[in-house]
């Protein structure tokens, strides 16, 4: 009975000591998060525009080849 109690206590102690470290690790200031979000959004828009241009070229070439 002592062994399971000790292992459960040790496990709980490890979890309680490690959890704040993981929580603090992912803390990013709001301004930095906004900046990162803006860069990600700009990248998405550029990528979508690139895909749209490529799709338009493909459609144009299909139309030209059909004529």
């Amino acid at each position: 009975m002592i062994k399971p109690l000790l292992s459960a206590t040790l496990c709980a102690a490890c979890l309680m000591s490690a959890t704040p470290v993981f929580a603090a690790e992912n803390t990013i200031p709001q301004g930095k998060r906004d900046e990162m979000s803006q860069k990600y959004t700009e990248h998405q828009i550029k990528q979508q525009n690139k895909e749209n241009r490529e799709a338009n070229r493909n459609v144009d070439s299909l139309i030209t080849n059909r004529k």
Side-chain angles (χ1 to χ4, degrees), residues 2-13:
I2 299 274
K3 189 173 181 180
L5 181 62
L6 285 175
S7 64
T9 306
L10 181 61
C11 182

Side-chain angles (χ1 to χ4, degrees), residues 27-40:
T27 304
I28 300 173
Q30 182 64 42
K32 184 69 173 172
R33 275 185 284 176
D34 291 343
E35 180 183 334
M36 290 168 61
S37 176
Q38 181 66 29
K39 285 182 181 178
Y40 180 71

Side-chain angles (χ1 to χ4, degrees), residues 12-28:
C14 287
L15 284 175
M16 291 174 71
S17 66
T19 302
V21 172
F22 293 129
E25 209 171 273
N26 294 328
T27 304
I28 300 173

Side-chain angles (χ1 to χ4, degrees), residues 36-48:
M36 290 168 61
S37 176
Q38 181 66 29
K39 285 182 181 178
Y40 180 71
T41 303
E42 289 172 359
H43 176 72
Q44 281 183 315
I45 291 170
K46 287 178 184 176
Q47 186 66 29
Q48 187 65 45

Side-chain angles (χ1 to χ4, degrees), residues 51-63:
E51 290 172 5
N52 288 345
R53 281 193 303 273
E54 185 177 339
N56 288 340
R57 278 194 296 263
N58 290 341
V59 169
D60 289 344
S61 68
L62 286 173
I63 292 170

